[in-house]
Amino acid sequence: MENLTLSSNHSECYPVDSASRRRSFMFFYLAIIVTAIPSNAFSLYVSWQHIRQKNGLGVYLFNLALSDLTFTIGLSMWLDFLWKGLWIHGGYVCMLSVYFLYTNFYTSEALLCCIAVDRYLAVVHPFKYTFLRKVNTAAAIGVAIWLLVFCFNATTISWEDSYHEYNKFAVCFDIFLPLSRNLVRVNLARFILGFIIPFLLVVFSTWGIWEAVKSNQATKERERKRILKLLTVVLLCVLFCFGPIHVMMLLRTQMDDCREVAWLLYPYKISIAISSLNCLADPLLYCFITRTGKANVNQVVLFFQVKKMSNYEDVV
């Protein structure tokens, strides 16, 4: 594997990944886009069925699919950058793509927390907090999440931290200058608010549900497995998809020399690639674990099977 190289006339503060590595990421993201757009579009339909059934969970699932679709569309802006190694779209488009990235991170994590807490209330306190599980309440919470994330991103994402030009060489997001004091504080806030707190909330909800269904003999074995499978996927999404990128953010706050920061380039890119798998993990929640999701998947499969048989009979 090729080593990281430095572009001509650049210091250690401007590391450039090799073409083979960049393009491997490009094909990875292209596979994500091709898979995530149809799966999340279908997830919008499935979650809408939940909402029609007056199920508050469907609101969170719908917003998750919407967040993933938005991120996937924004991800397409990076393909040209990964192919050429140069950002040619200008600073404003760069800021927009970075905004899409962080918006997906924190709306997804907040919504996954809402799903975990919703299931916790449904299982552990089925009659006590029913107002929190209504569609209108879930919709208000969803709007509040989007607004809070928008406001947080607007105050923490800056031009100098997202886009940089050195002569005619422009980079977007892959800026490995030592962090300013402000960005150190922002990264610490992202680590605590955007990872630690959501992770603890999901762990608490999963543990509470596990204890409840284990001691409740009335809960059917199939229902018990379905609930625990749902919470396990939520927990893995938060830990696996968002853990590495936030650890990288935390590591960057401890480094104030270009040569120290430069070695983080490739691990940092891997952590971002891992976080993008969230767009594929989320549809698993509603399409293959929830009852409505399974039913709709089965309907689609049955539709295509019938259509295939009909076409075969026409040929015969």
Side-chain angles (χ1 to χ4, degrees), residues 232-297:
T232 300
V233 173
V234 171
L235 183 59
L236 289 176
C237 279
V238 173
L239 182 62
F240 178 74
C241 294
F242 300 111
I245 182 63
H246 284 91
V247 170
M248 289 295 108
M249 289 180 188
L250 189 64
L251 284 176
R252 283 203 61 191
T253 65
Q254 306 303 310
M255 300 179 180
D256 55 6
D257 184 88
C258 289
R259 287 166 294 185
E260 291 179 341
V261 177
W263 74 266
L264 275 178
L265 176 65
Y266 195 52
Y268 200 78
K269 287 191 172 189
I270 291 175
S271 68
I272 296 171
I274 290 172
S275 69
S276 68
L277 290 173
N278 169 61
C279 295
L280 300 180
D282 288 342
L284 183 67
L285 290 173
Y286 20 82
C287 287
F288 300 105
I289 294 178
T290 63
R291 282 192 297 257
T292 307
K294 284 184 176 180
N296 281 286
V297 169

Side-chain angles (χ1 to χ4, degrees), residues 208-221:
I209 290 173
W210 167 251
E211 289 295 315
V213 299
K214 186 173 66 173
S215 61
N216 188 354
Q217 300 300 321
T219 306
K220 295 181 180 179
E221 184 65 23

Side-chain angles (χ1 to χ4, degrees), residues 116-190:
V117 173
D118 179 87
R119 294 300 84 195
Y120 172 81
L121 295 177
V123 174
V124 182
H125 304 288
F127 306 110
K128 193 172 181 181
Y129 301 104
T130 53
F131 69 96
L132 290 175
R133 297 174 48 235
K134 291 183 178 180
V135 171
N136 290 340
T137 304
I141 293 172
V143 170
I145 287 171
W146 283 97
L147 289 175
L148 286 172
V149 171
F150 281 148
C151 292
F152 180 77
N153 287 339
T155 55
T156 56
I157 297 175
S158 66
W159 185 285
E160 63 177 340
D161 297 321
S162 304
Y163 179 75
H164 196 83
E165 291 183 358
Y166 188 88
N167 293 331
K168 295 182 179 180
F169 181 83
V171 291
C172 178
F173 194 64
D174 293 335
I175 300 173
F176 279 77
L177 295 169
L179 301 182
S180 63
R181 286 187 178 182
N182 179 60
L183 196 54
V184 167
R185 289 192 291 267
V186 168
N187 276 13
L188 289 173
R190 285 172 179 161

